[in-house]
């Protein structure tokens, strides 16, 4: 199967789970008369459809990467991370998850396209929320390392087998295929995030934790334009 066919199957796999869930929730809604229970079901349907729409939007954007021109500029990572956390807060609350955001005192700017970078962060955080163990926060942090602006998103999910982890490392930058340790995912969202990073002259890396969970890192060129901070305001 070629890359297009593989990614088409992955897209179908990735969208099947939320569609099945929405169908089940709609059946529950039709049989439920309690107002509070109906409101909760409606809220879950909305959150599920919003996640699916994010994936479709990113798929469309990824398909246009090669033919589109993107404005590259210094982007403050801290503020963008907080925007994403704010938007995904309803989803994290519904899943019983929390965020832990660690942003350095000094504003950190990466050179990239703001929309692509926002979608990249959204995809990594959305993925972490899906697999994070309840009670442990999804950790988001930024730092400068070896001249790169680095964004890290860690989940505390199930421990991944070493052999499968090495396969996941190989898949980044190739094509999406099912990940047995994370059955809800084909890895398509990660592939899209990798494409976004590469379009901004960056890359993704992944780290496996023995006590469970993964950390995905986006490595991007760091901006040296310190005057940018004074023009846009320091990160809050």
């Amino acid at each position: 199967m070629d890359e297009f066919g593989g990614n088409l199957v992955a897209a179908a796999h990735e969208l099947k789970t939320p569609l099945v869930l929405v169908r089940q929730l709609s059946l529950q809604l039709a049989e439920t008369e309690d107002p509070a229970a109906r409101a909760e079901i409606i809220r879950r349907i909305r959150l599920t459809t919003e996640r699916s729409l994010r994936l479709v939007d990113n798929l469309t954007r990824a398909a246009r990467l090669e033919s589109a021109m993107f404005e590259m500029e210094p982007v403050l990572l801290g503020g963008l991370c907080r925007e994403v956390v704010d938007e995904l807060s309803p989803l994290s609350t519904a899943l019983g998850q929390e965020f832990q955001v660690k942003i350095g005192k000094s504003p950190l700017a990466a050179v990239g396209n703001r929309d692509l970078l926002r979608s990249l962060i959204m995809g990594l955080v959305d993925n972490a929320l899906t697999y994070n163990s309840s009670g442990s926060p999804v950790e988001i942090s930024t730092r400068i390392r070896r001249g790169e602006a680095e964004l890290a998103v860690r989940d505390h999910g199930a421990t991944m087998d070493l052999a499968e982890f090495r396969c996941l490392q190989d898949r980044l930058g190739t094509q999406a295929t099912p990940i047995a340790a994370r059955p809800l995912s084909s890895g398509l969202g990660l592939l899209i995030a990798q494409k976004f990073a590469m379009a901004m002259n960056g890359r993704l890396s992944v780290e496996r934790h023995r006590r469970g969970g993964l950390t995905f890192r986006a490595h991007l060129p760091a901006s040296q334009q310190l005057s940018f901070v004074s023009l846009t305001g320091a990160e809050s």
Side-chain angles (χ1 to χ4, degrees), residues 131-133 136 139 154-160 182 207-215:
Y131 299 102
N132 193 53
S133 301
S136 301
E139 301 173 19
R154 180 185 176 179
D155 66 65
H156 295 265
T159 301
M160 181 174 282
R182 299 191 168 201
E207 177 185 356
R208 167 180 173 266
H209 300 283
R210 292 185 178 181
R211 294 185 178 181
L214 299 172
T215 295

Side-chain angles (χ1 to χ4, degrees), residues 110-131:
V111 177
N113 176 270
R114 194 179 194 282
D115 290 338
L116 286 185
L117 187 51
R118 191 177 192 281
S119 294
L120 187 159
I121 298 172
M122 185 78 71
L124 294 183
V125 175
D126 202 359
N127 178 76
L129 282 172
T130 302
Y131 299 102

Side-chain angles (χ1 to χ4, degrees), residues 160-178:
M160 181 174 282
D161 177 82
L162 182 58
E164 188 173 24
F165 171 71
R166 287 173 177 167
C167 288
L168 174 60
Q169 288 180 305
D170 293 338
R171 288 171 195 160
L172 289 178
T174 55
Q175 68 178 46
T177 50

Side-chain angles (χ1 to χ4, degrees), residues 72-77 107-112 144 147-150 220-229:
M72 302 288 281
E73 61 182 349
V75 182
L76 291 171
L77 287 181
L108 170 56
V111 177
I144 285 282
E148 294 181 322
E150 183 180 288
L220 297 162
S223 172
Q224 304 300 320
Q225 298 182 27
L226 298 180
S227 59
F228 172 77
V229 175

Side-chain angles (χ1 to χ4, degrees), residues 14-15 17-19 22 47-57 126:
E14 201 82 25
L15 289 171
T17 298
L19 287 173
V22 168
L47 292 172
T48 302
T49 53
E50 286 176 352
R51 170 175 278 171
S52 300
L53 287 171
R54 283 195 296 271
L55 176 61
V56 172
D57 181 63
D126 202 359

Side-chain angles (χ1 to χ4, degrees), residues 29-211:
L29 184 63
E31 298 173 355
T32 302
E33 297 182 359
D34 180 67
R38 288 178 63 86
E40 173 61 20
I41 293 173
I42 291 171
R43 184 177 65 88
R44 291 184 62 191
I45 290 175
R46 177 176 58 81
L47 292 172
T48 302
T49 53
E50 286 176 352
R51 170 175 278 171
S52 300
L53 287 171
R54 283 195 296 271
L55 176 61
V56 172
D57 181 63
N58 283 345
L59 274 169
T60 303
R61 185 168 291 162
R64 296 174 178 169
L65 278 179
E66 293 183 2
S67 60
M69 296 293 291
F70 297 98
E71 180 182 356
M72 302 288 281
E73 61 182 349
V75 182
L76 291 171
L77 287 181
L80 207 53
C81 286
R82 292 186 177 93
E83 281 186 27
V84 170
V85 165
D86 183 63
E87 182 170 338
L88 292 182
S89 288
L91 176 60
S92 65
T93 300
L95 296 173
Q97 309 287 356
E98 294 182 351
F99 294 113
Q100 184 178 78
V101 182
K102 299 179 180 179
I103 305 297
K105 294 182 178 180
S106 300
L108 170 56
V111 177
N113 176 270
R114 194 179 194 282
D115 290 338
L116 286 185
L117 187 51
R118 191 177 192 281
S119 294
L120 187 159
I121 298 172
M122 185 78 71
L124 294 183
V125 175
D126 202 359
N127 178 76
L129 282 172
T130 302
Y131 299 102
N132 193 53
S133 301
S134 182
S136 301
V138 169
E139 301 173 19
I140 306 168
S141 61
T142 63
R143 65 176 178 175
I144 285 282
R145 186 167 185 255
R146 297 175 181 173
E148 294 181 322
E150 183 180 288
L151 164 78
V153 179
R154 180 185 176 179
D155 66 65
H156 295 265
T159 301
M160 181 174 282
D161 177 82
L162 182 58
E164 188 173 24
F165 171 71
R166 287 173 177 167
C167 288
L168 174 60
Q169 288 180 305
D170 293 338
R171 288 171 195 160
L172 289 178
T174 55
Q175 68 178 46
T177 50
I179 301 174
R182 299 191 168 201
L184 295 179
S185 174
S186 66
L188 181 61
L190 299 174
L191 174 63
I192 292 173
Q194 173 76 318
K195 286 184 177 296
F196 288 166
M198 292 174 67
M200 296 181 287
N201 302 312
R203 61 188 172 87
L204 284 190
S205 66
V206 58
E207 177 185 356
R208 167 180 173 266
H209 300 283
R210 292 185 178 181
R211 294 185 178 181

